Amino acid sequence: VFTEPFWGYTDAYRSVNARVSYRLRRWPGELWLGATDLFDEKIKSHVFGDIVRRKVSAGARWDLSR
């Protein structure tokens, strides 16, 4: 159970996220690029939480079942 120091409210926020991926024809996988918080708003989801900002990540995923 959280005690009184953890009670409280945070400001409302908007988070716009996106992800795109590309599959190659003869390659069993995909390349992807994703981003969170595209408008780079400072987001604090709870009273003692970290402030989250824009994050961009990229990667490759293989389909081993092919």
Side-chain angles (χ1 to χ4, degrees):
V1 177
F2 289 115
T3 59
E4 190 173 341
F6 291 95
W7 299 349
Y9 297 93
T10 59
D11 295 333
Y13 61 88
R14 166 188 59 225
S15 179
V16 178
N17 308 318
R19 180 180 162 130
V20 294
S21 64
Y22 179 72
R23 290 186 183 200
L24 299 170
R25 291 183 185 165
R26 296 183 179 163
W27 188 60
E30 69 179 345
L31 302 173
W32 59 268
L33 177 68
T36 59
D37 193 18
L38 292 175
F39 296 127
D40 200 24
E41 247 184 64
K42 292 181 180 176
I43 295 174
K44 189 171 184 178
S45 61
H46 60 87
V47 177
F48 286 108
D50 295 332
I51 294 178
V52 180
R53 305 287 305 261
R54 179 184 301 138
K55 181 176 93 173
V56 177
S57 55
R61 188 174 74 119
W62 281 265
D63 183 4
L64 300 176
S65 65
R66 286 185 178 186

